[in-house]
Amino acid sequence: MARRWTPQRMMRLRTIRIASSMVTIVALLLGFFVCARKTVALEVNGETTTVTTFATTIPGFLREQHVKLKTHDLVRSSTPGQLTDNSTVTVQSAYQTTISIDGQQMPFWTVADSAEQLIAFFEQNEVAANRITVDIKNVYNQLTGGLVINADGPVTVIADGKTSIAPNGKLPAASIIDSKGITLGKNDRVSVSKDGSQTILRVERVTTKEITETEDVPFSTQTIVDDSLEPGATEVRQEGRNGQNQLRYRVTYVDGKEDSRELLDTTPLSTPIDRIIAIGPEPVKETPQKEDNSGASNDEVQSAGQSAGNSAGTNNKQSATENNTGDAAKPSAESSPTPSAQPSQQPSAKPSEQPTSKPTQSAQPTQKPSEQPTQQPSAQPTQQPKPTPTPTQKPTQQPEQPTPSNCRLCKPSPSAAQAYAAGAAAQYGWTGKNWEDLVKLWNRESNWLWYAENKSSGAYGIPQSLPGSKMAQFGENWKEDAAVQIDWGLNYIATHPKYGSPSKAWAHSEKYGWY
């Protein structure tokens, strides 16, 4: 017998369905809670804490823990990409120091806890450590109260021409300098370098002084053409005299030796006087002319023409008509074998044109000597201004792309860019094969040229950022500053979920042709 429907039975069934749904939801929430809950070890500048989190990414985890990151801070995780249970996240705060590579100074962001470690970063990637000098510009205000010099041994201190040994290299630079009784001036320089196994802390005394010097301003020479002089003759019309400027410099001395000087101002004392030289016209180059009557003077030719014209007799009318028809006269003169035809035309037409038309037409040989001197002075001034656009363009072009004052590694050679990248990559732990693969990767991308640009895609710089403006987060001078480009490229590889290291980025580039 089937059960009858009753209100009580309906309520019991509804209660059972609601209870089962609630159990399912609780089970799902409990499962998600168990799976999403992670225990993560967070290490910030050497201090480690164990925290519980539900974050799935490293940036989200750091925001949750209120860890504020600066641009050059290094973040590492034992599980790159996703955050998993029992991961270890390490944060190292970067600070800026100044290094010199082969005498070229550049600001350098580092996480090193000692100068010895900083120099070792370069050495790990086969950059000679004796080429690197660490300049400590403010030893009393560095991370953790002062930069440690050498955590592994003694330090050689050189100051004021004296050399001494500080046995405890674990002390900050400020403490070592104080222990030696050395008082630093405001502009004194403190640097750390390596000479083989010896770590050297050097103090250089810096003084400045303003000096005044007098500088000669050389005169220039002007050349004019004087028709009254003989062809090829020269005459000094005015002797030249140098001018003088007074220059005021601020000179910087390092340990008593001049290191650099800055020009403060220039005061003219006297104006240079130009030297003026007059030259005669160029000698006339006579061109050989064909003469039908060799040795005959013009008068003889003229008289011969007149006598020939008078002795024409009965043919006088015919010669007159031939002279008045221009085209008919020319063939008769050219074809006539006798020399008497040319003299017969010259007195009839050309003597009347010589005084009026020849000076303006400048076609006769008699005008060549007077024409050549007049053309020379007119041609020289017109030719001299032609090269003037080049000096006028240089000043306009140079201010367009000045070297920025805050540019750390501006327009370097590929070798200088690689030297910088060697130390920066070693701070990520990228040495050995990782460094070799990074060199190959950026050789393929840009040949380590800071100005490399892909015309089709717009990718720019040593790491070929697409677009190049992405690198602006590491510095506004990303177009010229190789340090900005390298710092961005290393961070891009480190934080990319598919890479995490140059070797993985290089493997991707080998497979697909890009990274």
Side-chain angles (χ1 to χ4, degrees), residues 87-123:
S87 293
T88 300
V89 178
T90 303
V91 178
Q92 290 179 282
S93 299
Y95 62 96
Q96 192 179 68
T97 185
T98 305
I99 62 171
S100 300
I101 302 178
D102 291 336
Q104 181 181 1
Q105 289 190 343
M106 62 190 76
F108 190 85
W109 285 92
T110 182
V111 296
D113 55 9
S114 68
E116 180 78 9
Q117 183 188 15
L118 175 55
I119 296 175
F121 284 147
F122 296 89
E123 194 172 28

PDB file of all heavy atoms in Angstrom, residues 87-123:
ATOM      1  N   SER A  87      56.460  27.086   1.055  1.00  0.00           N
ATOM      2  CA  SER A  87      57.376  27.898   0.246  1.00  0.00           C
ATOM      3  C   SER A  87      58.199  28.813   1.139  1.00  0.00           C
ATOM      4  O   SER A  87      57.807  29.143   2.272  1.00  0.00           O
ATOM      5  CB  SER A  87      56.584  28.740  -0.764  1.00  0.00           C
ATOM      6  OG  SER A  87      55.961  27.927  -1.720  1.00  0.00           O
ATOM      7  N   THR A  88      59.325  29.247   0.601  1.00  0.00           N
ATOM      8  CA  THR A  88      60.171  30.227   1.287  1.00  0.00           C
ATOM      9  C   THR A  88      60.326  31.440   0.381  1.00  0.00           C
ATOM     10  O   THR A  88      60.784  31.318  -0.763  1.00  0.00           O
ATOM     11  CB  THR A  88      61.553  29.651   1.617  1.00  0.00           C
ATOM     12  OG1 THR A  88      61.402  28.509   2.462  1.00  0.00           O
ATOM     13  CG2 THR A  88      62.417  30.694   2.314  1.00  0.00           C
ATOM     14  N   VAL A  89      59.922  32.594   0.855  1.00  0.00           N
ATOM     15  CA  VAL A  89      60.016  33.846   0.105  1.00  0.00           C
ATOM     16  C   VAL A  89      61.072  34.720   0.787  1.00  0.00           C
ATOM     17  O   VAL A  89      60.971  34.986   1.995  1.00  0.00           O
ATOM     18  CB  VAL A  89      58.664  34.576   0.036  1.00  0.00           C
ATOM     19  CG1 VAL A  89      58.811  35.904  -0.710  1.00  0.00           C
ATOM     20  CG2 VAL A  89      57.620  33.697  -0.633  1.00  0.00           C
ATOM     21  N   THR A  90      62.069  35.141   0.002  1.00  0.00           N
ATOM     22  CA  THR A  90      63.170  35.955   0.520  1.00  0.00           C
ATOM     23  C   THR A  90      63.122  37.338  -0.111  1.00  0.00           C
ATOM     24  O   THR A  90      63.040  37.454  -1.346  1.00  0.00           O
ATOM     25  CB  THR A  90      64.524  35.293   0.217  1.00  0.00           C
ATOM     26  OG1 THR A  90      64.532  33.972   0.775  1.00  0.00           O
ATOM     27  CG2 THR A  90      65.670  36.098   0.815  1.00  0.00           C
ATOM     28  N   VAL A  91      63.163  38.361   0.712  1.00  0.00           N
ATOM     29  CA  VAL A  91      63.174  39.749   0.254  1.00  0.00           C
ATOM     30  C   VAL A  91      64.459  40.401   0.738  1.00  0.00           C
ATOM     31  O   VAL A  91      64.766  40.343   1.939  1.00  0.00           O
ATOM     32  CB  VAL A  91      61.945  40.523   0.772  1.00  0.00           C
ATOM     33  CG1 VAL A  91      62.016  41.983   0.321  1.00  0.00           C
ATOM     34  CG2 VAL A  91      60.661  39.868   0.304  1.00  0.00           C
ATOM     35  N   GLN A  92      65.193  40.998  -0.188  1.00  0.00           N
ATOM     36  CA  GLN A  92      66.415  41.729   0.156  1.00  0.00           C
ATOM     37  C   GLN A  92      66.274  43.156  -0.332  1.00  0.00           C
ATOM     38  O   GLN A  92      66.063  43.403  -1.525  1.00  0.00           O
ATOM     39  CB  GLN A  92      67.645  41.069  -0.476  1.00  0.00           C
ATOM     40  CG  GLN A  92      67.999  39.723   0.135  1.00  0.00           C
ATOM     41  CD  GLN A  92      69.210  39.107  -0.543  1.00  0.00           C
ATOM     42  OE1 GLN A  92      69.115  38.558  -1.632  1.00  0.00           O
ATOM     43  NE2 GLN A  92      70.360  39.208   0.112  1.00  0.00           N
ATOM     44  N   SER A  93      66.399  44.100   0.579  1.00  0.00           N
ATOM     45  CA  SER A  93      66.277  45.517   0.233  1.00  0.00           C
ATOM     46  C   SER A  93      67.561  45.988  -0.434  1.00  0.00           C
ATOM     47  O   SER A  93      68.663  45.773   0.074  1.00  0.00           O
ATOM     48  CB  SER A  93      65.993  46.353   1.477  1.00  0.00           C
ATOM     49  OG  SER A  93      64.765  45.953   2.069  1.00  0.00           O
ATOM     50  N   ALA A  94      67.403  46.646  -1.575  1.00  0.00           N
ATOM     51  CA  ALA A  94      68.557  47.149  -2.314  1.00  0.00           C
ATOM     52  C   ALA A  94      68.848  48.594  -1.910  1.00  0.00           C
ATOM     53  O   ALA A  94      67.958  49.333  -1.506  1.00  0.00           O
ATOM     54  CB  ALA A  94      68.292  47.066  -3.807  1.00  0.00           C
ATOM     55  N   TYR A  95      70.084  48.967  -2.001  1.00  0.00           N
ATOM     56  CA  TYR A  95      70.507  50.340  -1.778  1.00  0.00           C
ATOM     57  C   TYR A  95      71.531  50.691  -2.837  1.00  0.00           C
ATOM     58  O   TYR A  95      72.092  49.828  -3.511  1.00  0.00           O
ATOM     59  CB  TYR A  95      71.101  50.538  -0.374  1.00  0.00           C
ATOM     60  CG  TYR A  95      72.336  49.716  -0.105  1.00  0.00           C
ATOM     61  CD1 TYR A  95      73.607  50.248  -0.278  1.00  0.00           C
ATOM     62  CD2 TYR A  95      72.235  48.390   0.319  1.00  0.00           C
ATOM     63  CE1 TYR A  95      74.737  49.492  -0.045  1.00  0.00           C
ATOM     64  CE2 TYR A  95      73.355  47.622   0.555  1.00  0.00           C
ATOM     65  CZ  TYR A  95      74.612  48.183   0.374  1.00  0.00           C
ATOM     66  OH  TYR A  95      75.728  47.429   0.596  1.00  0.00           O
ATOM     67  N   GLN A  96      71.763  51.963  -3.012  1.00  0.00           N
ATOM     68  CA  GLN A  96      72.621  52.422  -4.102  1.00  0.00           C
ATOM     69  C   GLN A  96      74.002  52.793  -3.587  1.00  0.00           C
ATOM     70  O   GLN A  96      74.146  53.527  -2.612  1.00  0.00           O
ATOM     71  CB  GLN A  96      72.004  53.625  -4.816  1.00  0.00           C
ATOM     72  CG  GLN A  96      72.691  53.973  -6.134  1.00  0.00           C
ATOM     73  CD  GLN A  96      72.013  55.156  -6.816  1.00  0.00           C
ATOM     74  OE1 GLN A  96      72.087  56.276  -6.319  1.00  0.00           O
ATOM     75  NE2 GLN A  96      71.365  54.922  -7.935  1.00  0.00           N
ATOM     76  N   THR A  97      74.993  52.258  -4.250  1.00  0.00           N
ATOM     77  CA  THR A  97      76.376  52.674  -4.013  1.00  0.00           C
ATOM     78  C   THR A  97      76.963  53.114  -5.352  1.00  0.00           C
ATOM     79  O   THR A  97      76.245  53.179  -6.357  1.00  0.00           O
ATOM     80  CB  THR A  97      77.194  51.530  -3.397  1.00  0.00           C
ATOM     81  OG1 THR A  97      78.509  52.010  -3.069  1.00  0.00           O
ATOM     82  CG2 THR A  97      77.313  50.361  -4.356  1.00  0.00           C
ATOM     83  N   THR A  98      78.221  53.427  -5.376  1.00  0.00           N
ATOM     84  CA  THR A  98      78.878  53.846  -6.616  1.00  0.00           C
ATOM     85  C   THR A  98      80.070  52.943  -6.855  1.00  0.00           C
ATOM     86  O   THR A  98      80.886  52.743  -5.954  1.00  0.00           O
ATOM     87  CB  THR A  98      79.342  55.309  -6.539  1.00  0.00           C
ATOM     88  OG1 THR A  98      78.231  56.135  -6.202  1.00  0.00           O
ATOM     89  CG2 THR A  98      79.923  55.768  -7.862  1.00  0.00           C
ATOM     90  N   ILE A  99      80.149  52.402  -8.055  1.00  0.00           N
ATOM     91  CA  ILE A  99      81.286  51.559  -8.415  1.00  0.00           C
ATOM     92  C   ILE A  99      82.013  52.189  -9.589  1.00  0.00           C
ATOM     93  O   ILE A  99      81.462  53.005 -10.327  1.00  0.00           O
ATOM     94  CB  ILE A  99      80.834  50.132  -8.777  1.00  0.00           C
ATOM     95  CG1 ILE A  99      79.916  50.150 -10.000  1.00  0.00           C
ATOM     96  CG2 ILE A  99      80.138  49.452  -7.607  1.00  0.00           C
ATOM     97  CD1 ILE A  99      79.595  48.785 -10.544  1.00  0.00           C
ATOM     98  N   SER A 100      83.281  51.817  -9.738  1.00  0.00           N
ATOM     99  CA  SER A 100      84.085  52.238 -10.878  1.00  0.00           C
ATOM    100  C   SER A 100      84.571  50.984 -11.589  1.00  0.00           C
ATOM    101  O   SER A 100      85.160  50.109 -10.957  1.00  0.00           O
ATOM    102  CB  SER A 100      85.273  53.091 -10.430  1.00  0.00           C
ATOM    103  OG  SER A 100      84.824  54.249  -9.753  1.00  0.00           O
ATOM    104  N   ILE A 101      84.321  50.909 -12.873  1.00  0.00           N
ATOM    105  CA  ILE A 101      84.819  49.813 -13.709  1.00  0.00           C
ATOM    106  C   ILE A 101      85.772  50.418 -14.720  1.00  0.00           C
ATOM    107  O   ILE A 101      85.373  51.191 -15.590  1.00  0.00           O
ATOM    108  CB  ILE A 101      83.673  49.074 -14.421  1.00  0.00           C
ATOM    109  CG1 ILE A 101      82.683  48.510 -13.405  1.00  0.00           C
ATOM    110  CG2 ILE A 101      84.210  47.949 -15.298  1.00  0.00           C
ATOM    111  CD1 ILE A 101      81.501  47.802 -14.029  1.00  0.00           C
ATOM    112  N   ASP A 102      87.048  50.079 -14.588  1.00  0.00           N
ATOM    113  CA  ASP A 102      88.085  50.639 -15.461  1.00  0.00           C
ATOM    114  C   ASP A 102      88.041  52.167 -15.467  1.00  0.00           C
ATOM    115  O   ASP A 102      88.196  52.814 -16.504  1.00  0.00           O
ATOM    116  CB  ASP A 102      87.935  50.108 -16.891  1.00  0.00           C
ATOM    117  CG  ASP A 102      88.269  48.632 -16.994  1.00  0.00           C
ATOM    118  OD1 ASP A 102      89.020  48.139 -16.135  1.00  0.00           O
ATOM    119  OD2 ASP A 102      87.778  47.962 -17.917  1.00  0.00           O
ATOM    120  N   GLY A 103      87.803  52.747 -14.311  1.00  0.00           N
ATOM    121  CA  GLY A 103      87.811  54.205 -14.186  1.00  0.00           C
ATOM    122  C   GLY A 103      86.492  54.870 -14.493  1.00  0.00           C
ATOM    123  O   GLY A 103      86.348  56.069 -14.258  1.00  0.00           O
ATOM    124  N   GLN A 104      85.510  54.151 -15.041  1.00  0.00           N
ATOM    125  CA  GLN A 104      84.207  54.732 -15.335  1.00  0.00           C
ATOM    126  C   GLN A 104      83.292  54.558 -14.138  1.00  0.00           C
ATOM    127  O   GLN A 104      82.976  53.439 -13.748  1.00  0.00           O
ATOM    128  CB  GLN A 104      83.582  54.087 -16.572  1.00  0.00           C
ATOM    129  CG  GLN A 104      82.232  54.691 -16.939  1.00  0.00           C
ATOM    130  CD  GLN A 104      81.594  54.053 -18.149  1.00  0.00           C
ATOM    131  OE1 GLN A 104      82.157  53.117 -18.727  1.00  0.00           O
ATOM    132  NE2 GLN A 104      80.449  54.538 -18.559  1.00  0.00           N
ATOM    133  N   GLN A 105      82.854  55.663 -13.560  1.00  0.00           N
ATOM    134  CA  GLN A 105      82.024  55.621 -12.369  1.00  0.00           C
ATOM    135  C   GLN A 105      80.555  55.470 -12.742  1.00  0.00           C
ATOM    136  O   GLN A 105      80.093  56.057 -13.730  1.00  0.00           O
ATOM    137  CB  GLN A 105      82.208  56.889 -11.533  1.00  0.00           C
ATOM    138  CG  GLN A 105      83.548  56.976 -10.841  1.00  0.00           C
ATOM    139  CD  GLN A 105      83.594  58.103  -9.851  1.00  0.00           C
ATOM    140  OE1 GLN A 105      82.767  59.002  -9.876  1.00  0.00           O
ATOM    141  NE2 GLN A 105      84.562  58.079  -8.956  1.00  0.00           N
ATOM    142  N   MET A 106      79.828  54.663 -11.971  1.00  0.00           N
ATOM    143  CA  MET A 106      78.401  54.488 -12.220  1.00  0.00           C
ATOM    144  C   MET A 106      77.701  54.109 -10.922  1.00  0.00           C
ATOM    145  O   MET A 106      78.225  53.322 -10.136  1.00  0.00           O
ATOM    146  CB  MET A 106      78.176  53.418 -13.284  1.00  0.00           C
ATOM    147  CG  MET A 106      78.664  52.042 -12.920  1.00  0.00           C
ATOM    148  SD  MET A 106      78.629  50.886 -14.301  1.00  0.00           S
ATOM    149  CE  MET A 106      80.061  51.439 -15.221  1.00  0.00           C
ATOM    150  N   PRO A 107      76.525  54.681 -10.659  1.00  0.00           N
ATOM    151  CA  PRO A 107      75.722  54.239  -9.512  1.00  0.00           C
ATOM    152  C   PRO A 107      75.270  52.792  -9.732  1.00  0.00           C
ATOM    153  O   PRO A 107      74.964  52.383 -10.856  1.00  0.00           O
ATOM    154  CB  PRO A 107      74.539  55.208  -9.511  1.00  0.00           C
ATOM    155  CG  PRO A 107      75.022  56.390 -10.280  1.00  0.00           C
ATOM    156  CD  PRO A 107      75.943  55.849 -11.316  1.00  0.00           C
ATOM    157  N   PHE A 108      75.215  52.034  -8.640  1.00  0.00           N
ATOM    158  CA  PHE A 108      74.923  50.607  -8.727  1.00  0.00           C
ATOM    159  C   PHE A 108      74.024  50.211  -7.575  1.00  0.00           C
ATOM    160  O   PHE A 108      74.356  50.439  -6.409  1.00  0.00           O
ATOM    161  CB  PHE A 108      76.227  49.805  -8.678  1.00  0.00           C
ATOM    162  CG  PHE A 108      76.072  48.340  -8.986  1.00  0.00           C
ATOM    163  CD1 PHE A 108      76.071  47.894 -10.286  1.00  0.00           C
ATOM    164  CD2 PHE A 108      75.938  47.408  -7.969  1.00  0.00           C
ATOM    165  CE1 PHE A 108      75.934  46.546 -10.584  1.00  0.00           C
ATOM    166  CE2 PHE A 108      75.791  46.066  -8.244  1.00  0.00           C
ATOM    167  CZ  PHE A 108      75.787  45.628  -9.562  1.00  0.00           C
ATOM    168  N   TRP A 109      72.856  49.642  -7.907  1.00  0.00           N
ATOM    169  CA  TRP A 109      71.944  49.150  -6.879  1.00  0.00           C
ATOM    170  C   TRP A 109      72.375  47.749  -6.474  1.00  0.00           C
ATOM    171  O   TRP A 109      72.606  46.894  -7.325  1.00  0.00           O
ATOM    172  CB  TRP A 109      70.515  49.123  -7.405  1.00  0.00           C
ATOM    173  CG  TRP A 109      69.897  50.479  -7.476  1.00  0.00           C
ATOM    174  CD1 TRP A 109      69.892  51.326  -8.546  1.00  0.00           C
ATOM    175  CD2 TRP A 109      69.215  51.151  -6.432  1.00  0.00           C
ATOM    176  NE1 TRP A 109      69.238  52.482  -8.233  1.00  0.00           N
ATOM    177  CE2 TRP A 109      68.804  52.409  -6.940  1.00  0.00           C
ATOM    178  CE3 TRP A 109      68.887  50.820  -5.114  1.00  0.00           C
ATOM    179  CZ2 TRP A 109      68.092  53.329  -6.180  1.00  0.00           C
ATOM    180  CZ3 TRP A 109      68.182  51.735  -4.360  1.00  0.00           C
ATOM    181  CH2 TRP A 109      67.794  52.968  -4.890  1.00  0.00           C
ATOM    182  N   THR A 110      72.474  47.508  -5.179  1.00  0.00           N
ATOM    183  CA  THR A 110      72.994  46.230  -4.718  1.00  0.00           C
ATOM    184  C   THR A 110      72.297  45.800  -3.432  1.00  0.00           C
ATOM    185  O   THR A 110      71.750  46.632  -2.701  1.00  0.00           O
ATOM    186  CB  THR A 110      74.515  46.310  -4.480  1.00  0.00           C
ATOM    187  OG1 THR A 110      75.002  45.030  -4.077  1.00  0.00           O
ATOM    188  CG2 THR A 110      74.856  47.323  -3.410  1.00  0.00           C
ATOM    189  N   VAL A 111      72.334  44.493  -3.189  1.00  0.00           N
ATOM    190  CA  VAL A 111      71.842  43.930  -1.932  1.00  0.00           C
ATOM    191  C   VAL A 111      72.999  43.375  -1.106  1.00  0.00           C
ATOM    192  O   VAL A 111      72.777  42.707  -0.088  1.00  0.00           O
ATOM    193  CB  VAL A 111      70.816  42.811  -2.199  1.00  0.00           C
ATOM    194  CG1 VAL A 111      69.591  43.365  -2.897  1.00  0.00           C
ATOM    195  CG2 VAL A 111      71.428  41.676  -3.028  1.00  0.00           C
ATOM    196  N   ALA A 112      74.222  43.662  -1.535  1.00  0.00           N
ATOM    197  CA  ALA A 112      75.394  43.130  -0.835  1.00  0.00           C
ATOM    198  C   ALA A 112      75.446  43.671   0.586  1.00  0.00           C
ATOM    199  O   ALA A 112      75.131  44.843   0.840  1.00  0.00           O
ATOM    200  CB  ALA A 112      76.668  43.495  -1.585  1.00  0.00           C
ATOM    201  N   ASP A 113      75.867  42.812   1.518  1.00  0.00           N
ATOM    202  CA  ASP A 113      76.006  43.253   2.906  1.00  0.00           C
ATOM    203  C   ASP A 113      77.443  43.635   3.236  1.00  0.00           C
ATOM    204  O   ASP A 113      77.751  43.983   4.369  1.00  0.00           O
ATOM    205  CB  ASP A 113      75.507  42.182   3.878  1.00  0.00           C
ATOM    206  CG  ASP A 113      76.201  40.844   3.664  1.00  0.00           C
ATOM    207  OD1 ASP A 113      77.173  40.792   2.883  1.00  0.00           O
ATOM    208  OD2 ASP A 113      75.763  39.847   4.276  1.00  0.00           O
ATOM    209  N   SER A 114      78.334  43.561   2.244  1.00  0.00           N
ATOM    210  CA  SER A 114      79.717  44.002   2.456  1.00  0.00           C
ATOM    211  C   SER A 114      80.307  44.392   1.112  1.00  0.00           C
ATOM    212  O   SER A 114      79.858  43.937   0.051  1.00  0.00           O
ATOM    213  CB  SER A 114      80.566  42.885   3.085  1.00  0.00           C
ATOM    214  OG  SER A 114      80.756  41.822   2.166  1.00  0.00           O
ATOM    215  N   ALA A 115      81.307  45.265   1.165  1.00  0.00           N
ATOM    216  CA  ALA A 115      81.985  45.665  -0.062  1.00  0.00           C
ATOM    217  C   ALA A 115      82.683  44.481  -0.707  1.00  0.00           C
ATOM    218  O   ALA A 115      82.737  44.369  -1.935  1.00  0.00           O
ATOM    219  CB  ALA A 115      82.986  46.779   0.241  1.00  0.00           C
ATOM    220  N   GLU A 116      83.219  43.590   0.129  1.00  0.00           N
ATOM    221  CA  GLU A 116      83.879  42.390  -0.386  1.00  0.00           C
ATOM    222  C   GLU A 116      82.889  41.538  -1.187  1.00  0.00           C
ATOM    223  O   GLU A 116      83.217  41.027  -2.265  1.00  0.00           O
ATOM    224  CB  GLU A 116      84.452  41.575   0.773  1.00  0.00           C
ATOM    225  CG  GLU A 116      85.164  40.298   0.364  1.00  0.00           C
ATOM    226  CD  GLU A 116      86.547  40.542  -0.180  1.00  0.00           C
ATOM    227  OE1 GLU A 116      87.036  41.678  -0.084  1.00  0.00           O
ATOM    228  OE2 GLU A 116      87.130  39.595  -0.710  1.00  0.00           O
ATOM    229  N   GLN A 117      81.675  41.398  -0.678  1.00  0.00           N
ATOM    230  CA  GLN A 117      80.670  40.617  -1.389  1.00  0.00           C
ATOM    231  C   GLN A 117      80.283  41.294  -2.698  1.00  0.00           C
ATOM    232  O   GLN A 117      80.081  40.624  -3.721  1.00  0.00           O
ATOM    233  CB  GLN A 117      79.429  40.427  -0.518  1.00  0.00           C
ATOM    234  CG  GLN A 117      78.360  39.567  -1.161  1.00  0.00           C
ATOM    235  CD  GLN A 117      77.066  39.536  -0.367  1.00  0.00           C
ATOM    236  OE1 GLN A 117      76.862  40.362   0.517  1.00  0.00           O
ATOM    237  NE2 GLN A 117      76.192  38.602  -0.680  1.00  0.00           N
ATOM    238  N   LEU A 118      80.168  42.615  -2.682  1.00  0.00           N
ATOM    239  CA  LEU A 118      79.808  43.341  -3.890  1.00  0.00           C
ATOM    240  C   LEU A 118      80.854  43.135  -4.979  1.00  0.00           C
ATOM    241  O   LEU A 118      80.519  42.877  -6.149  1.00  0.00           O
ATOM    242  CB  LEU A 118      79.644  44.832  -3.576  1.00  0.00           C
ATOM    243  CG  LEU A 118      79.377  45.769  -4.757  1.00  0.00           C
ATOM    244  CD1 LEU A 118      78.166  45.313  -5.554  1.00  0.00           C
ATOM    245  CD2 LEU A 118      79.170  47.193  -4.270  1.00  0.00           C
ATOM    246  N   ILE A 119      82.123  43.243  -4.626  1.00  0.00           N
ATOM    247  CA  ILE A 119      83.179  43.007  -5.611  1.00  0.00           C
ATOM    248  C   ILE A 119      83.150  41.562  -6.084  1.00  0.00           C
ATOM    249  O   ILE A 119      83.378  41.268  -7.267  1.00  0.00           O
ATOM    250  CB  ILE A 119      84.545  43.379  -5.009  1.00  0.00           C
ATOM    251  CG1 ILE A 119      84.604  44.885  -4.705  1.00  0.00           C
ATOM    252  CG2 ILE A 119      85.671  43.000  -5.951  1.00  0.00           C
ATOM    253  CD1 ILE A 119      85.864  45.310  -3.994  1.00  0.00           C
ATOM    254  N   ALA A 120      82.829  40.640  -5.170  1.00  0.00           N
ATOM    255  CA  ALA A 120      82.788  39.221  -5.531  1.00  0.00           C
ATOM    256  C   ALA A 120      81.677  38.927  -6.533  1.00  0.00           C
ATOM    257  O   ALA A 120      81.789  37.969  -7.304  1.00  0.00           O
ATOM    258  CB  ALA A 120      82.610  38.367  -4.281  1.00  0.00           C
ATOM    259  N   PHE A 121      80.616  39.711  -6.537  1.00  0.00           N
ATOM    260  CA  PHE A 121      79.559  39.497  -7.527  1.00  0.00           C
ATOM    261  C   PHE A 121      80.124  39.554  -8.943  1.00  0.00           C
ATOM    262  O   PHE A 121      79.773  38.743  -9.806  1.00  0.00           O
ATOM    263  CB  PHE A 121      78.461  40.547  -7.367  1.00  0.00           C
ATOM    264  CG  PHE A 121      77.544  40.306  -6.202  1.00  0.00           C
ATOM    265  CD1 PHE A 121      76.984  41.358  -5.513  1.00  0.00           C
ATOM    266  CD2 PHE A 121      77.240  39.016  -5.790  1.00  0.00           C
ATOM    267  CE1 PHE A 121      76.135  41.140  -4.438  1.00  0.00           C
ATOM    268  CE2 PHE A 121      76.383  38.784  -4.715  1.00  0.00           C
ATOM    269  CZ  PHE A 121      75.835  39.852  -4.042  1.00  0.00           C
ATOM    270  N   PHE A 122      80.982  40.530  -9.172  1.00  0.00           N
ATOM    271  CA  PHE A 122      81.566  40.658 -10.503  1.00  0.00           C
ATOM    272  C   PHE A 122      82.547  39.518 -10.775  1.00  0.00           C
ATOM    273  O   PHE A 122      82.608  38.990 -11.887  1.00  0.00           O
ATOM    274  CB  PHE A 122      82.272  42.012 -10.638  1.00  0.00           C
ATOM    275  CG  PHE A 122      81.347  43.181 -10.546  1.00  0.00           C
ATOM    276  CD1 PHE A 122      81.039  43.761  -9.336  1.00  0.00           C
ATOM    277  CD2 PHE A 122      80.757  43.699 -11.681  1.00  0.00           C
ATOM    278  CE1 PHE A 122      80.162  44.832  -9.241  1.00  0.00           C
ATOM    279  CE2 PHE A 122      79.879  44.774 -11.610  1.00  0.00           C
ATOM    280  CZ  PHE A 122      79.587  45.332 -10.382  1.00  0.00           C
ATOM    281  N   GLU A 123      83.302  39.168  -9.775  1.00  0.00           N
ATOM    282  CA  GLU A 123      84.301  38.115  -9.937  1.00  0.00           C
ATOM    283  C   GLU A 123      83.650  36.774 -10.272  1.00  0.00           C
ATOM    284  O   GLU A 123      84.206  35.974 -11.028  1.00  0.00           O
ATOM    285  CB  GLU A 123      85.133  37.991  -8.657  1.00  0.00           C
ATOM    286  CG  GLU A 123      86.403  37.175  -8.824  1.00  0.00           C
ATOM    287  CD  GLU A 123      87.271  37.251  -7.580  1.00  0.00           C
ATOM    288  OE1 GLU A 123      86.702  37.450  -6.492  1.00  0.00           O
ATOM    289  OE2 GLU A 123      88.495  37.126  -7.703  1.00  0.00           O
TER     290      GLU A 123
END
